[in-house]
Amino acid sequence: MKGKILLTLLIGSFFTGCFHKTHEISNKQQQYGVDFGRDFGEIAPEPVRPNQTYTNDTQDSKLISQFAVFDRYIGKKTGKDCSGFILHVNKELDGKILNVNEIVKYYDKSGRRSKAMFNMFKKSNKLIMTNTASVGDLVFFANTLGSGVKKNKDKENITHVGIVTKVNKNGSIEFLHNADGKVKKGHMDLNQKNTHKKGNLIINHYIVRCKKGMSHCLASHRFAGFGKTEIR
């Protein structure tokens, strides 16, 4: 019995995800309420093209070194949730990732700050769906909460966000994100979407809890787009 209770608590903590509403929500957003488990049936973006070319940011050692300093947050509760961590990094980078004063304009019925960020990049034509990530870009994930975990159909049901800290020569990325209340490093390779590990090397981290060997829970399958930032 104790084992079942512990398992339930662990699963519950994992799926808290990133649905934190900002404290500066306008009256217009407050009228929507919050429904974290609902899919809104929005039109899904174009699928990722695995053979798409990518930028090779491993050549920009200065930029990679700049973002390496954020590894100091790994294991810490910085930001409290995923979007909060992005705002923390944004503040340290003098607002070069996004304009925090603009986010409030992009909330929808989901009430999620991560989705508001996604909406802001999309409506500014700065949302990229192919392997063209650069260091400093945001990486959005869909369906990591509620009913969307099992359905995984609405690719604009944004529930999680991280920031790209490295782009490898093969197009795979490393990113930092706050999950389960702590900052973690993740890996994602859209060219090997169904692969979790090769030997001891992690190719794609799990972004939601899953039975062993189930690829649909990998970050590569919940990927919803890169938000292109001004850090170059």
Side-chain angles (χ1 to χ4, degrees):
M1 184 64 182
K2 290 183 178 179
K4 290 184 178 179
I5 294 174
L6 179 60
L7 178 61
T8 301
L9 290 173
L10 287 172
I11 293 174
S13 66
F14 188 89
F15 289 125
T16 54
C18 188
F19 50 74
H20 181 72
K21 293 180 71 175
T22 183
H23 296 295
E24 295 82 24
I25 297 177
S26 65
N27 292 332
K28 184 176 182 180
Q29 280 113 28
Q30 287 178 336
Q31 73 182 2
Y32 290 134
V34 182
D35 186 356
F36 300 130
R38 179 182 172 190
D39 290 330
F40 292 98
E42 298 169 324
I43 299 174
E46 293 183 2
V48 174
R49 298 176 176 84
N51 295 323
Q52 185 75 23
T53 57
Y54 55 85
T55 57
N56 183 5
D57 279 345
T58 54
Q59 295 176 354
D60 194 342
S61 58
K62 183 177 179 180
L63 190 57
I64 291 174
S65 296
Q66 180 182 4
F67 274 80
V69 301
F70 294 115
D71 284 354
R72 70 182 185 274
Y73 293 124
I74 294 176
K76 297 182 179 180
K77 299 180 180 180
T78 309
K80 297 183 179 180
D81 65 8
C82 66
S83 58
F85 176 65
I86 297 303
L87 294 183
H88 182 87
V89 173
N90 182 63
K91 184 177 181 180
E92 289 203 19
L93 294 174
D94 300 320
K96 293 180 181 178
I97 297 174
L98 47 77
N99 185 339
V100 294
N101 296 322
E102 293 293 311
I103 298 175
V104 69
K105 300 178 182 179
Y106 295 95
Y107 275 89
D108 58 19
K109 292 181 180 180
S110 72
R112 300 188 195 102
R113 189 163 55 192
S114 55
K115 179 62 185 296
M117 291 178 178
F118 176 89
N119 291 340
M120 182 168 65
F121 279 90
K122 182 180 178 182
K123 292 181 180 181
S124 300
N125 294 317
K126 293 181 179 180
L127 186 68
I128 308 298
M129 290 301 302
T130 54
N131 281 15
T132 53
S134 299
V135 174
D137 289 344
L138 299 188
V139 54
F140 294 99
F141 299 96
N143 305 309
T144 63
L145 293 171
S147 61
V149 171
K150 293 184 178 180
K151 294 179 180 179
N152 196 29
K153 292 181 179 180
D154 181 3
K155 295 301 181 182
E156 292 196 2
N157 180 34
I158 307 303
T159 54
H160 196 63
V161 61
I163 186 165
V164 178
T165 56
K166 187 176 181 180
V167 179
N168 299 308
K169 290 183 178 181
N170 65 355
S172 65
I173 70 163
E174 296 178 16
F175 61 96
L176 289 180
H177 62 134
N178 187 313
D180 304 330
K182 292 184 179 181
V183 177
K184 301 177 180 180
K185 178 175 286 188
H187 292 79
M188 183 176 72
D189 189 341
L190 296 176
N191 293 323
Q192 303 182 73
K193 290 183 66 174
N194 298 319
T195 304
H196 170 47
K197 292 179 72 174
K198 284 187 175 180
N200 294 323
L201 180 65
I202 294 179
I203 307 300
N204 287 290
H205 270 96
Y206 284 102
I207 204 75
V208 296
R209 291 199 182 277
C210 203
K211 292 182 178 180
K212 188 175 181 179
M214 303 293 286
S215 62
H216 68 274
C217 296
L218 297 174
S220 50
H221 280 269
R222 304 301 171 119
F223 169 71
F226 293 113
K228 306 301 290 185
T229 66
E230 302 301 321
I231 302 174
R232 296 293 178 268

